[in-house]
Amino acid sequence: MTQQHSAIAPTPKNPAKAKRGDWWRDAVIYQVYPRSFADSNGDGMGDLEGVRSRLPYLRDLGVDAVWLSPFYASPQADAGYDVADYRAVDPMFGNLLDADALIRDAHGLGLRVIVDLVPNHSSDQHEWFKRALREGPGSPLRERYHFRPGKGEHGELPPNDWESIFGGPAWTRVPDGEWYLHLFAPEQPDFNWEHPAVGDEFRSVLRFWLDIGVDGFRIDVAHGLVKAEGLPDLGSHDQVKLLGNDVMPFFDQDGVHDIYRQWRLVLDEYAGERIFVAEAWTPTVERTANYVRPDELHQAFNFQYLATDWDAGELRTVIDRTLEAMRPVGAPATWVLSNHDVTRHATRFANPPGLGTQIRTAGDRELGLRRARAATLLMLALPGSAYIYQGEELGLPDVVDLSDEVRQDPAYFRGAGQDGFRDGCRVPIPWTRTGSSYGFGNGGSWLPQPDGWGELSIEAQTGTAGSTLELYRAALAARRTQPDLGAGDSVEWLRAPEGVLAFRRGEFVCVANTSGESVTTSAYGRLLLASGEVTEADGEAKLPADTTVWWTTTP
């Protein structure tokens, strides 16, 4: 008999998994970009009350935790990654009472809350930096940043040849003649982590938010806090290629690990399995593993996996290397396909391979969505923890045709460094089919939403058989019920046709067809879930191109 399958609803949550203390080892964590998630007051900008109102949606989606991108007091020169006050909420997002209410409601719904921490740099409107400028050369406050005299006869040249990640020199000169270091925008001066006051301040900031009740921190630029001794010119070093971008070799200095050991002592004072997650761009997964040794951080983003093309051979290589690197330090692998800094994977996979993580063309959207759905099921089947970026559960593409007049990414206007096309993945998500901002709020939206956005909305996809949203809901529910999904440190690879990945984890089997054409494989048992239509007959299964299937060998 021939049968066709797509999404199949799983059974209730596995009680054994629910009781796990080390929840983070197999957690699915949902990234909320607050300004683009939900707007409660109609000003076109998302806010904490908007996030709070939508928490039941995230509970029902089936995620374990919510990671909030920055909502601190900030001039917004880099969308909140330029922090003026680490203990205050920016008025555009609400206030501390709103943050407290959000955390309490999330906990009441069984969701944990992780907040961004930005320790590499502050805003130039931070009180320390403003005082440093006012007090001039020799001020003790200048020692908390990297102020230096310039080179040249009159100090007219930057102290070294470092370049900003956003393009242009990494130094800005102030009226009194000194220069300060900023690896990102000039409005983001880098802290000097050799100064003890900086470490004292951030340990205090950690305790402030832990006392409010957050469950952990995502550490922005975790690899960048410590600079090479003497701040030497790049010309005296080999440059490192990382994910297609030139990065300065003082990133990923060994000294950062002393900082995280001190932070871990602070975190371990608190009950409730609270965690650190590192945004650490390193040349290899082996270097990434250094951040998650037992006395440091808990997780680190797997950017090598994010940057891998939809290709069975390349995917198997990075999966094996990741699991091998994490096993000696006892940390879970993490898997991620999209975030607020890269082109959404539904658009990346719609374009030819090898273009990197920021892409300017829409490509073949049908192909991109098909591959994105298949890639999601592959990711969620791997051992460890997974991250979902808001809207990917709707299959949202990047909005690639934004005009210069509406773009707000600071890197875009500097003409060098990062491509500056991050606005495309930050367009507010659609909740309803209609309305001035498709349910994002009762006003407009800070970045324009494209026509037809409503047909990708939560309202349009909820209850619709075969929709991407329902595929995510079924996959996340299955992770909770299948004992062989989630935590672990290995897979058993199975023989498979060219262009196909197949692996077993206990009684669970995942097969992903990246070949671009339909293939026939064994049917490994009872079909749990598939990203596309799969035909089974006589113990075999026919998988269309760009399709992933989950089976279980249990009845």
Side-chain angles (χ1 to χ4, degrees):
M1 180 179 179
T2 299
Q3 294 180 312
Q4 290 191 329
H5 306 269
S6 54
I8 297 175
T11 52
K13 182 174 179 178
N14 186 334
K17 282 195 173 188
K19 294 178 181 178
R20 292 177 57 90
D22 49 354
W23 64 273
W24 44 276
R25 289 190 172 274
D26 61 0
V28 176
I29 300 173
Y30 186 99
Q31 181 188 359
V32 166
Y33 194 68
R35 63 170 55 204
S36 297
F37 192 66
D39 170 19
S40 70
N41 59 11
D43 66 356
M45 188 72 66
D47 46 47
L48 294 184
E49 183 58 31
V51 177
R52 181 186 176 201
S53 71
R54 298 295 190 175
L55 288 174
Y57 164 75
L58 298 180
R59 175 203 56 197
D60 296 343
L61 181 62
V63 300
D64 300 291
V66 179
W67 153 34
L68 298 169
S69 291
F71 51 79
Y72 307 110
S74 166
Q76 304 296 320
D78 184 25
Y81 284 94
D82 50 318
V83 180
D85 186 344
Y86 291 85
R87 297 177 181 82
V89 173
D90 194 280
M92 76 164 57
F93 297 122
N95 55 45
L96 280 174
L97 291 177
D98 295 322
D100 180 75
L102 189 160
I103 294 166
R104 290 177 183 274
D105 282 8
H107 288 168
L109 293 169
L111 296 169
R112 298 176 188 262
V113 177
I114 296 170
V115 298
D116 242 303
L117 189 66
V118 188
N120 179 71
H121 48 262
S122 74
S123 164
D124 62 354
Q125 298 304 302
H126 190 286
E127 187 58 34
W128 283 5
F129 192 76
K130 291 194 296 183
R131 280 185 56 193
L133 292 183
R134 288 197 305 267
E135 294 174 6
S139 165
L141 271 298
R142 291 205 175 189
E143 296 176 7
R144 301 180 186 186
Y145 295 90
H146 293 278
F147 279 87
R148 296 289 188 278
K151 292 182 177 180
E153 183 177 357
H154 303 290
E156 71 277 12
L157 300 176
N160 66 25
D161 64 357
W162 292 357
E163 293 186 357
S164 164
I165 302 302
F166 286 169
W171 296 90
T172 290
R173 197 177 192 187
V174 299
D176 56 47
E178 286 197 332
W179 298 73
Y180 69 88
L181 175 68
H182 52 87
L183 295 184
F184 295 88
E187 297 88 350
Q188 296 169 291
D190 279 44
F191 285 116
N192 174 16
W193 273 89
E194 301 298 327
H195 196 289
V198 177
D200 290 344
E201 169 68 359
F202 273 91
R203 287 190 294 274
S204 174
V205 169
L206 291 176
R207 289 190 171 95
F208 178 85
W209 289 102
L210 289 166
D211 288 341
I212 287 178
V214 302
D215 299 285
F217 301 88
R218 176 265 192 186
I219 305 168
D220 185 62
V221 195
H223 56 299
L225 278 57
V226 173
K227 319 307 184 198
E229 185 177 357
L231 308 185
D233 280 345
L234 284 171
S236 63
H237 295 270
D238 293 328
Q239 290 204 11
V240 180
K241 285 281 188 178
L242 179 62
L243 302 183
N245 296 317
D246 288 328
V247 298
M248 292 170 265
F250 51 75
F251 279 160
D252 193 29
Q253 295 291 300
D254 289 340
V256 299
H257 300 291
D258 292 333
I259 297 169
Y260 299 136
R261 291 187 186 98
Q262 295 175 26
W263 286 15
R264 182 62 179 264
L265 294 174
V266 173
L267 202 70
D268 288 348
E269 296 172 8
Y270 289 80
E273 291 285 336
R274 312 202 197 190
I275 69 166
F276 288 122
V277 183
E279 183 210 27
W281 292 86
T282 66
T284 65
V285 290
E286 290 79 13
R287 291 290 297 181
T288 302
N290 291 336
Y291 289 79
V292 289
R293 288 175 287 200
D295 60 345
E296 295 188 45
L297 311 179
H298 297 77
Q299 294 184 349
F301 289 144
N302 190 344
F303 293 117
Q304 285 78 14
Y305 185 78
L306 181 150
T308 302
D309 291 325
W310 181 239
D311 175 89
E314 294 181 24
L315 287 164
R316 177 165 176 172
T317 296
V318 74
I319 291 167
D320 282 341
R321 288 193 64 182
T322 297
L323 295 174
E324 289 167 7
M326 296 299 152
R327 200 173 293 124
V329 296
T334 66
W335 314 100
V336 60
L337 293 168
S338 290
N339 64 36
H340 65 293
D341 280 335
V342 301
T343 301
R344 289 183 179 275
H345 61 284
T347 296
R348 291 204 315 277
F349 293 153
N351 282 273
L355 296 182
T357 59
Q358 289 196 354
I359 295 173
R360 310 179 187 189
T361 61
D364 184 338
R365 288 188 174 177
E366 181 179 347
L367 173 66
L369 179 59
R370 188 167 68 245
R371 289 177 171 175
R373 289 161 57 95
T376 294
L377 285 196
L378 173 61
M379 175 184 77
L380 293 174
L382 294 170
S385 180
Y387 282 77
I388 294 173
Y389 177 50
Q390 65 176 48
E392 72 171 73
E393 77 276 16
L394 306 177
L396 295 186
D398 249 49
V399 181
V400 299
D401 56 355
L402 293 169
S403 66
D404 290 355
E405 291 74 20
V406 301
R407 288 190 179 276
Q408 300 195 30
D409 185 350
Y412 180 78
F413 300 99
R414 289 183 166 83
Q418 290 186 355
D419 288 336
F421 284 83
R422 298 178 299 175
D423 289 321
C425 66
R426 299 176 177 183
V427 172
I429 66 172
W431 292 88
T432 58
R433 280 193 172 94
T434 59
S436 60
S437 59
Y438 301 107
F440 168 66
N442 58 17
S445 63
W446 69 282
L447 283 172
Q449 300 159 301
D451 294 338
W453 211 230
E455 292 309 307
L456 299 174
S457 67
I458 287 117
E459 179 184 37
Q461 295 196 42
T462 294
T464 300
S467 72
T468 301
L469 176 57
E470 294 300 341
L471 177 70
Y472 269 73
R473 285 173 170 160
L476 294 175
R479 272 181 65 101
R480 291 172 174 257
T481 61
Q482 294 299 312
D484 295 311
L485 279 175
D489 63 5
S490 63
V491 299
E492 175 192 351
W493 293 108
L494 305 174
R495 294 185 63 181
E498 184 75 18
V500 176
L501 285 175
F503 61 84
R504 183 188 303 277
R505 299 184 61 200
E507 296 178 336
F508 171 85
V509 175
C510 176
V511 178
N513 177 15
T514 74
S515 68
E517 57 187 29
S518 63
V519 298
T520 299
T521 72
S522 297
Y524 287 95
R526 177 169 60 88
L527 190 145
L528 285 173
L529 199 59
S531 65
E533 295 294 334
V534 175
T535 302
E536 290 185 315
D538 301 323
E540 292 185 328
K542 185 174 182 180
L543 278 63
D546 305 309
T547 299
T548 298
V549 185
W550 289 0
W551 279 283
T552 179
T553 58
T554 58

